[in-house]
């Protein structure tokens, strides 16, 4: 069926025959099956409109926000079928980071980190809150930069710092998997490289699935890569293999810049 | 290039610069005409009204005609003030806000959340039409709805209801427009944290758009602050300070109208108008400040 045969033991995430359509009969994601490896960075590449963001959003069911959405197939996150899970639980297990940094403008840096608890009405003891904030900000290497301004508004930070704050907000829930939707496409090169270093570091403790437009970024930091085209998962394998000897002609053409 | 062609070009340039200057002056002149009335109004109000402004003016009720006449013939300032008008205006505006703000904000949120729905379009259009309804008609409506069946007579409540109907469309529209300005990404951020939809609205969207909402509310208040026509049919007016919502109540614009009808009280018109103008301007400037701070 597909041009790949990749076996992943004890995957954090199993996607089985997933199809998503926004419009009856038109599939944004077409029968995708893939396992995502634990504690590694997996990149989803492909030209605009190939369904990579939809695939990512199907994992924490953010795609359900659109009307007339139809989803077929299963996604198993750490042994649990996500369609049975309440979205609050699912979205705690699968944290999401978006293209544009989006800290809550009315909240302080501190409150932004624990926003997930606060907004859901989960009360924590102050000591535990402080711990979560410090751990999450340390994880994203932001702690030293903001520890004296924790109670200032998050929107005063630079774009790159804001994006790291948003990652910290996702980490505060200690998620099973972090979903990133082109996290650096709105950032300058210095901020981008900081985020990339951060993701490589984070994979020690977290599993990362990232949509990227940027092939060299995928080559730099990902362990596994997927190439999607017109909703179909064309190729999936170790990044090193895919970039050196792609199996599918379309992957090769994309990687060599013939389209996309 | 030949010298003739050069000459034509420079001539052309000269006339063009001249025309440009003339047009610019015209634009400036017309713009000045726009702001001239407000400057003249404020000047006139201060010049004629300031001498009546005192603590008594805020703390006391209006004099009767005889007192005013005596003061006039003796060349003194008119005693008394418009305390009943100030308290009446505050009472009715606050009550109108209590009615209009929750309804308006919630309706605005509904319009923002369901942009394409039939009901939303209907509400949007109806609220636009409501904005164009003459205020005296709203007074009549409040008379029919409240004065006759509910309070059995002219009342502050009826006045508040007519004012709240006037405020409503402004608040609805400004709420919808403000919410539309919030980036979609902020909403997504909250939803991606598993926050239920109603909490996203209450805890994220409303706080984020708070200053915009406030601006709309302040503008709505400043719009109804000087309304006279609906109050004539509903609150009627009163010579005493009244805090009972089921009783007739005075208001600053009502008093201005009463003073206008009494030749001995003419001086009070100016000072009352000055106070009303100051209140409206303060609200307007406040709302501008708040709006500017958030940009």
């Amino acid at each position: 069926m597909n041009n790949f045969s990749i076996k992943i033991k004890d995957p954090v995430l199993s996607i089985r025959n997933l199809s998503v359509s926004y419009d009856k009969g038109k599939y944004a994601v077409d029968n995708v099956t893939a396992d995502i490896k634990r504690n590694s960075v997996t990149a989803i590449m492909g030209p605009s409109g190939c369904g990579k963001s939809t695939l990512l959003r199907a994992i924490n069911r953010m795609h359900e926000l659109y009307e007339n959405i139809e989803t077929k197939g299963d996604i198993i996150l750490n042994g649990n079928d996500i369609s049975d899970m309440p979205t609050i639980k699912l979205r705690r297990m699968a944290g999401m980071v978006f293209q544009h940094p989006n800290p809550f403008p009315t909240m302080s840096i501190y409150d932004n980190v624990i926003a997930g608890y606060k907004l859901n009405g989960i009360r924590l003891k102050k000591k535990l809150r402080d711990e979560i904030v410090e751990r999450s900000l340390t994880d994203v290497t932001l702690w030293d930069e903001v520890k004296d301004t924790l109670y200032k508004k998050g929107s005063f930070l630079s774009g790159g710092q804001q994006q790291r704050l948003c990652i910290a907000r996702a980490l505060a829930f200690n998620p099973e998997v972090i979903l990133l939707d082109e996290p650096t496409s709105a950032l300058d090169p210095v901020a981008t490289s900081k985020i990339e270093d951060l993701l490589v570091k984070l994979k020690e403790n977290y599993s990362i699935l990232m949509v990227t437009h940027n092939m060299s970024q995928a080559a730099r930091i990902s362990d596994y890569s997927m190439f999607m085209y017109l909703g179909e998962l064309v190729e999936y394998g170790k990044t090193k293999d895919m970039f050196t000897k792609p199996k599918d002609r379309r992957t090769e053409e994309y990687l060599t810049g013939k389209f996309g | 290039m030949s010298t003739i062609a050069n000459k034509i070009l420079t001539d052309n340039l000269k006339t063009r610069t001249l025309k440009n200057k003339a047009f610019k002056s015209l634009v400036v002149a017309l713009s000045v005409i726009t702001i001239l009335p407000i400057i003249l109004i404020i000047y006139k109000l201060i010049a004629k009204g300031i001498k009546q402004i005192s603590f008594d003016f805020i703390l006391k009720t209006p004099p009767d005609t005889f007192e005013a006449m005596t003061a006039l013939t003796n060349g003194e300032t008119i005693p008394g003030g418009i305390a009943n008008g100030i308290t009446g205006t505050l009472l009715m505006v606050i009550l109108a806000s209590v009615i209009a703000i929750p309804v308006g904000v919630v309706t605005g949120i509904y319009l923002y959340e369901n942009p394409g729905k039939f009901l939303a379009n209907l509400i949007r259009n109806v609220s636009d039409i409501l904005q164009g309804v003459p205020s005296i008609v709203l007074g009549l409506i409040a008379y029919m709805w409240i004065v006759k069946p509910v309070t059995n007579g002219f009342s502050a409540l009826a006045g508040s209801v007519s004012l709240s109907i006037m405020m409503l469309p402004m608040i609805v529209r400004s709420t919808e427009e403000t919410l539309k300005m919030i980036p979609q990404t902020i909403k997504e951020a909250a939803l991606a944290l598993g926050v239920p939809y109603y909490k996203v609205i209450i805890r994220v969207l409303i706080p984020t758009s708070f200053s915009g909402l406030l601006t709309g509310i302040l503008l709505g208040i400043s719009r109804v602050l000087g309304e006279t026509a609906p109050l004539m049919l509903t609150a009627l007016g009163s010579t005493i300070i009244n805090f009972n919502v089921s009783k007739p109540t005075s208001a600053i614009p009502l008093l201005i109208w009463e003073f206008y009808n009494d030749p001995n009280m003419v001086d009070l018109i100016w000072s009352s108008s000055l106070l009303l103008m100051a209140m409206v301007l303060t609200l307007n400037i406040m709302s501008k400040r708040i709006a500017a701070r958030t940009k």
Side-chain angles (χ1 to χ4, degrees), chain A residues 138 149 177:
Chain A
T138 310
T149 52
V177 55

Side-chain angles (χ1 to χ4, degrees), chain B residues 34-54:
Chain B
T34 314
I35 59 166
L36 208 56
I38 190 84
I39 292 173
L40 288 176
I41 290 169
I42 293 174
Y43 168 75
K44 194 82 181 171
L45 289 182
I46 292 176
K48 290 208 145 195
I50 197 82
K51 64 171 189 281
Q52 286 287 342
I53 302 277
S54 63

Side-chain angles (χ1 to χ4, degrees), chain A residues 56-67:
Chain A
L56 197 74
R57 278 160 186 256
I59 294 168
N60 67 350
R61 282 168 52 196
M62 281 288 281
H63 72 309
E64 287 174 7
L65 297 177
Y66 303 101
E67 276 175 36

Side-chain angles (χ1 to χ4, degrees), chain A residues 124-136:
Chain A
L124 299 173
K125 290 234 168 66
K126 178 152 176 24
K127 195 161 158 260
L128 183 59
R129 265 199 326 249
D130 290 345
E131 257 174 50
I132 292 174
V133 170
E134 183 170 349
R135 171 181 59 76
S136 309

Side-chain angles (χ1 to χ4, degrees), chain A:
Chain A
M1 184 181 84
N2 283 318
N3 269 328
F4 53 84
S5 52
I6 168 171
K7 289 268 181 306
I8 284 170
K9 261 192 243 161
D10 183 29
V12 64
L13 195 68
S14 295
I15 303 165
R16 290 281 164 265
N17 304 98
L18 183 76
S19 296
V20 181
S21 78
Y22 291 107
D23 225 347
K24 271 211 159 44
K26 278 192 200 159
Y27 288 97
V29 172
D30 195 356
N31 201 14
V32 167
T33 297
D35 288 339
I36 308 297
K37 193 169 160 53
R38 218 174 270 281
N39 293 2
S40 61
V41 177
T42 306
I44 311 176
M45 293 181 293
S48 305
C50 69
K52 50 193 193 306
S53 284
T54 307
L55 174 63
L56 197 74
R57 278 160 186 256
I59 294 168
N60 67 350
R61 282 168 52 196
M62 281 288 281
H63 72 309
E64 287 174 7
L65 297 177
Y66 303 101
E67 276 175 36
N68 305 325
I69 200 89
E70 220 185 280
T71 314
K72 276 185 272 179
D74 301 307
I75 298 175
I76 314 291
L77 176 58
N78 241 4
N80 304 303
D81 189 332
I82 65 155
S83 57
D84 302 337
M85 253 188 255
T87 45
I88 164 154
K89 194 175 162 216
L90 169 64
R91 288 173 190 169
R92 284 175 72 162
M93 290 170 73
M96 188 164 232
V97 177
F98 297 86
Q99 190 169 358
H100 291 278
N102 53 2
F104 297 116
T106 53
M107 292 187 193
S108 65
I109 294 170
Y110 185 98
D111 284 344
N112 257 293
V113 177
I114 53 158
Y117 294 96
K118 244 187 109 158
L119 294 176
N120 281 312
I122 302 166
R123 284 174 195 280
L124 299 173
K125 290 234 168 66
K126 178 152 176 24
K127 195 161 158 260
L128 183 59
R129 265 199 326 249
D130 290 345
E131 257 174 50
I132 292 174
V133 170
E134 183 170 349
R135 171 181 59 76
S136 309
L137 287 174
T138 310
D139 276 355
V140 297
T141 64
L142 198 58
W143 177 251
D144 289 331
E145 290 160 55
V146 302
K147 64 179 178 215
D148 301 320
T149 52
L150 279 179
Y151 297 99
K152 270 180 116 181
K153 295 265 162 71
S155 41
F156 285 112
L157 299 172
S158 74
Q161 287 176 319
Q162 285 188 22
Q163 193 62 303
R164 278 183 281 153
L165 177 59
C166 294
I167 298 176
R169 182 172 64 192
L171 295 184
F173 271 150
N174 225 337
E176 304 288 336
V177 55
I178 307 169
L179 310 168
L180 302 106
D181 193 352
E182 302 196 28
T184 61
S185 64
L187 301 180
D188 63 80
V190 178
T192 299
S193 84
K194 270 195 178 163
I195 300 265
E196 288 181 0
D197 292 346
L198 171 63
L199 293 179
V200 171
K201 203 189 77 163
L202 282 178
K203 74 179 179 188
E204 285 171 27
N205 299 314
Y206 300 95
S207 313
I208 295 167
L209 185 59
M210 174 177 71
V211 163
T212 178
H213 224 79
N214 183 334
M215 279 178 266
S216 49
Q217 180 173 61
R220 276 195 300 274
I221 64 169
S222 71
D223 305 297
Y224 291 83
S225 291
M226 292 182 188
F227 173 66
M228 285 183 74
Y229 187 58
L230 299 177
E232 186 192 339
L233 180 56
V234 173
E235 191 163 344
Y236 177 30
K238 285 204 161 129
T239 304
K240 224 190 314 164
D241 299 341
M242 191 147 129
F243 274 82
T244 47
K245 33 183 193 307
K247 291 188 189 92
D248 194 285
R249 188 179 46 83
R250 289 168 293 180
T251 317
E252 192 180 338
E253 283 177 358
Y254 180 72
L255 292 176
T256 51
K258 291 222 175 80
F259 73 91

